[in-house]
Amino acid sequence: MSDAAPQHPPHATAGRPPQYAPPPARRGGRTFAILALVVAGLEVLTGPLMVLVLSGAIRAGLDPSGIGLLSGGVGALSAVLGAIAAALAIVSILRREPARVLAGIALGIAISALASLIASALQVVLFSF
């Protein structure tokens, strides 16, 4: 009755901790980096869009205040796309996705675009006095 050996779970061995299976490998993991790069690419295309919109407005004889509104609208679109690209790239980097190079490229493009917009706004403020 009391001579019975204590029973152990089948995975435990004498003196060693139980062995667990490794976690399954994650497939993909580039979603945020790719989205950030696509949005950053769209932001880069706002430059040529600005040229097309402004040249069309000038040819159409739009008054200067209308041209300023169009320019501001395209600039706001560029700022929103840059902020979205930066946010997606930062999320990708914080999630430690394997495509960190793509996320870094997107982050660089986004920061460059946002810095350019800030410099442009400062230029308008400085030269308006």
Side-chain angles (χ1 to χ4, degrees), residues 8 11-19:
H8 297 285
H11 65 275
T13 57
R16 291 192 322 193
Q19 300 292 321

Side-chain angles (χ1 to χ4, degrees), residues 2-9:
S2 63
D3 294 335
Q7 299 228 351
H8 297 285

Side-chain angles (χ1 to χ4, degrees), residues 4 6 10 15 23 26 32 36 52 60 75 77 82 86 88 92 96 107-108 111:
R26 288 179 53 193
F32 286 104
L52 290 173
L77 174 67
L88 288 171
S92 173
R96 300 194 187 280
L107 186 60
I111 289 174

Side-chain angles (χ1 to χ4, degrees), residues 47-113:
L49 176 68
M50 175 87 81
V51 171
L52 290 173
V53 167
L54 292 180
S55 64
I58 291 170
R59 267 191 243 123
L62 195 62
D63 63 335
S65 63
I67 292 173
L69 282 174
L70 283 175
S71 176
V74 175
L77 174 67
S78 179
V80 168
L81 289 174
I84 291 172
L88 288 171
I90 289 171
V91 167
S92 173
I93 291 169
L94 291 178
R95 287 176 50 113
R96 300 194 187 280
E97 289 184 351
R100 283 184 228 143
V101 173
L102 292 178
I105 291 169
L107 186 60
I109 292 170
I111 289 174
S112 171

